[in-house]
């Protein structure tokens, strides 16, 4: 009996000690395990915070863009310049990549925005937009732009990815070559905070963008700055399904003669009379324009857009400030205008017609015109757009330029030159 009790006491004591050791090991182990998991969760939290910070930056970046691929069929001109025909085996059609652009917008902090838009071609990459915007945080009315941006004109500020007609007007391509400019712009939109539908823009520009060599575009070449101003007022009549925007803009600048050649370069004035400017002379460059856009909810929606611009333009090769469509070493009074009618057909189709006119020399006409660059050109443009989905549209368009005749210029311009173009374009946006 005593032996049995002794064995039981020893067994109980051993089990108790073993249990205490198990409890001690389990608690320490559990504590250590918890500490290890806490450290792991702490590291995970640190990594999540870094990811969250990175995602926060990424959400401030907006990326968009579009590609325009097309097929062109040309009605080629009879011959080149005065004299007999010299055009052998002309190119009558071609596939063409018209535009391929990506636009990056980044809102670094509240009130600050950065925009960068390159344009890709098969042989080069060019810069379309590159500017910084400082927005007014207090009244949410004013914005300051600095960099390379659209000139202050409705047709130019209207995205080429949204245009209803395949190309911009001849007037816009000549007086606003390249569409963009380098400078600073102050914009005031009183509709944002004051519910007053007026927008004002004022810009100070170099004035030589897309004129001459690339070197002559990166910086100002004559220290003279050009100034643009634009005002737009909007009327909205929702009960009648009607909206009207109308506005005006002005361009005030000059072309400075920085050098002369030997023999001296001779210019022609608005009356096509020769004159020789001196080094340091400023040739006039300025115009005024009026615009209107009417939107009417009629049988699916329609719009009528128009603009009229008139003034004086000058270009020189001293230094090179040349638009190939306008020529150079001359001063001209010009007039241009266009009217565009847009009609929605159902929810996926749109019919468009535009008539635009550009007269680069209002002082002379007909046989009094001595150079092709001074002939007035009227262009009829037709297009039919089919919206495949929200991001893809297919456009069929036909452009018919009609030039002024002149026996003095001769050649192709004894009659209407053959330069019509039929285009099928597919545009994809993202």
């Amino acid at each position: 009996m005593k032996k049995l009790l002794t064995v039981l006491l020893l067994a109980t004591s051993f089990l108790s000690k073993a249990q205490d050791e198990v409890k001690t090991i389990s608690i320490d182990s559990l504590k250590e395990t918890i500490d290890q998991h806490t450290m792991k969760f702490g590291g995970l939290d640190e990594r999540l915070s870094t990811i969250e910070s990175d995602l926060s930056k990424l959400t401030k970046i907006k990326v968009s863009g579009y590609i325009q691929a097309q097929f062109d069929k040309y009605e080629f001109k009879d011959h080149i310049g005065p004299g007999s025909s010299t055009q052998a085996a002309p190119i009558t059609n071609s596939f063409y990549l018209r535009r391929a652009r990506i636009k990056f917008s980044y809102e670094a902090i509240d009130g600050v925005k950065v925009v960068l838009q390159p344009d890709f071609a098969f042989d080069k990459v060019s810069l379309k937009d590159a500017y910084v915007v400082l927005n007014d945080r207090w009244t949410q009315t004013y914005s300051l732009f600095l960099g390379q941006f659209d000139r202050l004109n409705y047709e130019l500020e209207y995205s080429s990815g949204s245009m209803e007609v395949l190309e911009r007007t001849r007037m816009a391509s000549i007086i606003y070559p390249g569409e963009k400019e380098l400078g600073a712009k102050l914009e005031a939109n009183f509709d944002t905070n004051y519910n007053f539908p007026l927008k004002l823009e004022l810009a100070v520009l170099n004035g030589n963008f897309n004129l001459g060599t690339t070197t002559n575009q990166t910086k100002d070449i004559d220290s003279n700055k050009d100034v643009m101003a634009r005002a737009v007022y909007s009327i909205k009549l929702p009960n009648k399904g009607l909206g009207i925007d109308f506005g005006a803009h002005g361009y005030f600048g000059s072309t400075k003669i920085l050098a002369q050649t030997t023999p001296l370069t001779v210019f022609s004035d608005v009356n096509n009379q020769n004159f020789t400017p001196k080094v340091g002379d400023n040739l006039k460059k300025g115009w005024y324009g009026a615009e209107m856009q009417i939107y009417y909810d009629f049988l699916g929606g329609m719009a009528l857009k128009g603009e009229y611009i008139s003034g004086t333009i000058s270009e020189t090769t001293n230094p090179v400030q040349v638009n190939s469509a306008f020529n150079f070493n001359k001063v001209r009074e010009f007039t241009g205008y266009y009217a565009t009618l847009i009609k929605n057909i159902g929810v996926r189709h749109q019919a468009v017609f535009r008539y635009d006119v550009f007269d680069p020399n209002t002082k002379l006409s007909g046989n009094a015109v001595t150079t092709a660059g001074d002939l007035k050109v009227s262009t009829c443009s037709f297009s039919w757009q089919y919206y495949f989905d929200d991001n893809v549209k297919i456009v069929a368009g036909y452009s018919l330029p009609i030039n002024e005749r002149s026996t003095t210029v001769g050649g192709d311009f004894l009659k209407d030159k053959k330069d019509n173009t039929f285009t099928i374009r597919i545009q994809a946006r993202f």
Side-chain angles (χ1 to χ4, degrees):
M1 190 65 180
K2 288 181 180 181
K3 291 182 180 180
L4 180 60
L5 289 173
T6 300
V7 171
L8 288 173
L9 287 172
L10 290 172
T12 302
S13 175
F14 176 78
L15 289 173
S16 177
K17 185 176 181 181
Q19 187 175 7
D20 289 341
E21 289 181 357
V22 170
K23 286 182 180 180
T24 301
I25 294 173
S26 298
I27 292 173
D28 291 342
S29 176
L30 181 60
K31 183 178 179 180
E32 183 178 353
T33 303
I34 290 175
D35 289 343
Q36 288 176 352
H37 280 73
T38 300
M39 292 174 64
K40 290 180 181 179
F41 280 118
L44 180 61
D45 183 64
E46 184 177 347
R47 290 195 295 272
L48 288 174
S49 297
T50 303
I51 294 172
E52 184 179 3
S53 176
D54 293 339
L55 287 174
S56 178
K57 294 177 182 178
L58 290 174
T59 56
K60 295 179 180 179
I61 300 175
K62 296 181 181 179
V63 181
S64 60
Y66 60 93
I67 295 174
Q68 294 175 345
Q70 63 191 51
F71 174 79
D72 292 338
K73 181 170 177 54
Y74 314 109
E75 237 188 310
F76 219 84
K77 58 187 177 181
D78 294 330
H79 53 268
I80 300 175
S84 60
S85 178
T86 58
Q87 186 64 36
I91 299 172
T92 60
N93 62 84
S94 177
F95 288 103
Y96 181 40
L97 185 62
R98 180 62 182 88
R99 297 179 179 93
R101 298 179 180 177
I102 299 179
K103 185 176 182 179
F104 303 92
S105 299
Y106 179 61
E107 295 188 17
I109 58 176
D110 183 31
V112 179
K113 185 177 181 181
V114 179
V115 176
L116 181 66
Q117 181 178 206
D119 180 64
F120 297 88
F122 73 95
D123 59 341
K124 63 180 180 179
V125 177
S126 60
L127 190 62
K128 302 303 292 184
D129 290 301
Y131 58 87
V132 178
V133 186
L134 302 180
N135 294 309
D136 170 20
R137 300 177 181 173
W138 301 274
T139 65
Q140 298 180 347
T141 301
Y142 301 95
S143 298
L144 177 63
F145 294 68
L146 186 63
Q148 182 173 304
F149 46 80
D150 289 321
R151 293 180 173 102
L152 313 187
N153 170 265
Y154 172 78
E155 187 178 359
L156 303 185
E157 291 185 351
Y158 196 64
S159 170
S160 54
S162 302
M163 287 193 308
E164 298 85 6
V165 184
L166 290 169
E167 300 297 339
R168 303 193 191 277
T169 62
R170 179 181 294 265
M171 172 180 66
S173 64
I174 291 178
I175 67 173
Y176 296 123
E179 306 165 16
K180 314 293 181 178
E181 251 295 1
L182 281 163
K185 177 179 73 169
L186 180 63
E187 182 180 294
N189 190 341
F190 297 98
D191 192 32
T192 306
N193 197 36
Y194 301 102
N195 295 320
F196 186 67
L198 175 66
K199 185 172 78 169
L200 302 176
E201 296 175 291
L202 178 66
V204 180
L205 312 166
N206 281 346
N208 52 273
F209 187 79
N210 209 44
L211 296 174
T213 64
T214 304
T215 304
N216 286 351
Q217 300 175 45
T218 55
K219 293 183 180 180
D220 201 349
I221 58 176
D222 59 9
S223 298
N224 288 354
K225 296 296 181 290
D226 293 355
V227 176
M228 287 196 74
R230 180 171 177 243
V232 179
Y233 185 81
S234 301
I235 298 175
K236 298 178 182 179
L237 304 172
N239 293 334
K240 296 183 179 181
L242 182 65
I244 303 175
D245 296 340
F246 59 92
H249 82 278
Y251 190 101
F252 314 95
S254 63
T255 299
K256 190 171 184 177
I257 306 299
L258 295 183
Q260 267 289 21
T261 59
T262 303
L264 297 176
T265 301
V266 178
F267 285 62
S268 61
D269 63 15
V270 295
N271 296 308
N272 206 26
Q273 300 298 313
N274 291 339
F275 74 100
T276 304
K278 299 177 182 178
V279 175
D281 285 354
N282 289 304
L283 306 182
K284 187 177 180 180
K285 182 173 66 173
W287 48 82
Y288 294 93
E291 65 182 71
M292 179 176 289
Q293 301 91 41
I294 303 173
Y295 306 89
Y296 185 40
D297 186 11
F298 174 72
L299 297 177
M302 63 182 299
L304 178 63
K305 303 179 180 182
E307 190 169 5
Y308 175 90
I309 302 176
S310 181
T312 304
I313 187 172
S314 59
E315 291 186 4
T316 173
T317 55
N318 304 318
V320 178
Q321 295 187 69
V322 176
N323 183 337
S324 58
F326 177 74
N327 216 317
F328 49 89
N329 293 340
K330 60 184 181 180
V331 181
R332 293 291 185 266
E333 291 186 3
F334 73 89
T335 294
Y337 57 89
Y338 69 87
T340 306
L341 178 64
I342 305 155
K343 181 67 183 74
N344 293 339
I345 311 296
V347 295
R348 292 190 178 274
H349 296 268
Q350 194 175 69
V352 184
F353 170 75
R354 184 183 71 194
Y355 179 71
D356 71 87
V357 176
F358 183 71
D359 187 350
N361 190 347
T362 59
K363 295 287 186 177
L364 301 176
S365 63
N367 295 334
V369 177
T370 59
T371 60
D374 285 347
L375 292 171
K376 180 171 70 173
V377 178
S378 306
T379 306
C380 296
S381 301
F382 305 87
S383 67
W384 185 278
Q385 302 192 111
Y386 170 67
Y387 291 85
F388 183 79
D389 58 23
D390 292 341
N391 298 315
V392 178
K393 69 176 180 180
I394 303 172
V395 185
Y398 194 58
S399 175
L400 297 88
I402 303 170
N403 59 267
E404 185 178 16
R405 280 88 164 163
S406 172
T407 57
T408 308
V409 177
D412 294 329
F413 305 100
L414 292 170
K415 56 182 180 179
D416 180 34
K417 184 175 67 172
K418 287 186 177 180
D419 51 1
N420 302 339
T421 305
F422 173 73
T423 299
I424 296 178
R425 173 185 292 174
I426 297 180
Q427 175 180 293
R429 306 187 68 165
F430 58 90

